[in-house]
Amino acid sequence: MDYTKNSISTLAIISLLLVVFIYISTLSTFPPKTFLSFQINPTKSPIGMAKYELEEALKKASMAEKTVIITVINKAYVEPYNGEYPSMFDLFLEGFWEGESTRELLEHLLVVAVDQTAYERCKFRRLHCYRLVTGDGDFGGEKIYMSEEFIKMMWRRTRFSMEVLKLGYNFIFTDTDVMWLRNPFLMLNKSKNLDLQMSTDWFNGDSFSYSNSINTGFYYVRSNRKTITLFEIWYAMRRNSKGMKEQDVLAKMLREGVNKELYLRMKFLDTLYFGGFCSDNKDVKLIMTVHSNCCRTIEAKVADLKNVLVDWKRYKEGHVAAGENSFKWSKHISCNNSWHALNPTLS
């Protein structure tokens, strides 16, 4: 009898150990959290006078709840292409002037200049200006698309954005080739439940689908632990992403589930409101911003963005006099042709 009891007890223990072994083995087959385990080397955040100057610049430009608008410029943006005005930066500011409820937003625009020429032009405009000393090379001229200098400039921009988040500021980042025709804050979700709202080249109809084609030329991000960690991982990923620009790296991260690991809540912006040259907005009554994406050269961007402003002014005049039904955007002829140009460049 005792022998039978001992046998049953031994069998029960062996069975329990087997179950535990199978359970542990099953757990080990699941993939590790690749992003949270990714090594993030500390970056040199601004210290001393540089940190003070950045904090002061952000404070002066900030609206309620520590929110700012940020754009980055260099010499190629502020000087007229081939000596012909306007420059890209001129057009960008003109958009705020001609837009609806956008002029007052210039009070909250922080212009980040990566070279002295751009900084001096910004100060001349009496804007909120910050001189970003990069130490990573000369970012003054127009960079050949996907060249080493171009990729470095994009990554330095990402690092700067990370530094702003660490200082506790929410912000809209906007490329300078985005026309602000209406106040985008009226359409952006201000809920603290959303961490990041990002523009798209092509919108698939679902604002929460991670299969949308992202564009980092316009996004609204809240400063919190999740977004700071995202930007830290994103910037660190440059070491394993040779030859890739920062937008492609982030897209790859999203496809691989970084949002799930960080419990990140994202929204992808509809091109009906946040449009661009990749997919034209058809309803001028709804458009907030127009981005000259899917375009390769500064010369082409300037030419076609000039037409956007002409179209917009025509719409505003016709809105009062003759109605809106006949409105059509001009075709992006220069940008379409830019893909056939020799030595293509991208701002």
Side-chain angles (χ1 to χ4, degrees), residues 66-133:
K66 296 184 74 174
T67 300
V68 297
I69 303 164
I70 294 175
T71 195
V72 177
I73 60 172
N74 65 0
K75 182 179 179 181
Y77 277 94
V78 301
E79 291 194 339
Y81 192 86
N82 288 337
E84 295 184 9
Y85 285 91
S87 67
M88 180 77 79
F89 190 48
D90 294 331
L91 281 172
F92 177 66
L93 297 178
E94 185 70 10
F96 281 89
W97 180 257
E98 294 292 343
E100 294 179 359
S101 303
T102 50
R103 292 184 187 180
E104 58 268 26
L105 294 178
L106 285 174
E107 293 296 322
H108 306 294
L109 173 67
L110 178 61
V111 180
V112 180
V114 298
D115 60 67
Q116 191 61 26
T117 299
Y119 180 71
E120 290 173 359
R121 192 67 62 94
C122 175
K123 296 298 288 184
F124 179 76
R125 291 278 196 168
R126 299 184 183 277
L127 301 167
H128 298 296
C129 311
Y130 176 72
R131 174 70 168 94
L132 178 62
V133 180

Side-chain angles (χ1 to χ4, degrees), residues 142-208:
E142 185 178 11
K143 305 305 177 187
I144 298 175
Y145 180 56
M146 294 306 294
S147 68
E148 184 178 350
E149 291 79 11
F150 170 84
I151 292 172
K152 277 185 179 180
M153 186 166 66
M154 295 299 101
W155 281 118
R156 187 61 186 91
R157 189 175 78 174
T158 303
R159 176 178 162 185
F160 176 79
S161 298
M162 176 181 67
E163 292 164 356
V164 173
L165 289 175
K166 287 182 176 181
L167 290 174
Y169 283 86
N170 317 309
F171 62 88
I172 288 182
F173 178 84
T174 174
D175 276 344
T176 316
D177 63 342
V178 177
M179 294 289 101
W180 287 45
L181 302 181
R182 291 188 174 94
N183 183 346
F185 285 104
L186 300 177
M187 281 299 301
L188 293 169
N189 192 316
K190 299 181 181 64
S191 169
K192 292 184 179 180
N193 293 327
L194 278 176
D195 303 303
L196 177 59
Q197 299 173 66
M198 184 162 287
S199 64
T200 57
D201 286 333
W202 295 277
F203 182 67
N204 69 7
D206 183 352
S207 295
F208 298 99

Side-chain angles (χ1 to χ4, degrees), residues 308-324:
V308 169
L309 281 178
V310 170
D311 292 343
W312 175 252
K313 292 176 185 178
R314 178 168 53 85
Y315 160 72
K316 289 200 300 180
E317 294 168 0
H319 179 69
V320 176
E324 308 156 4

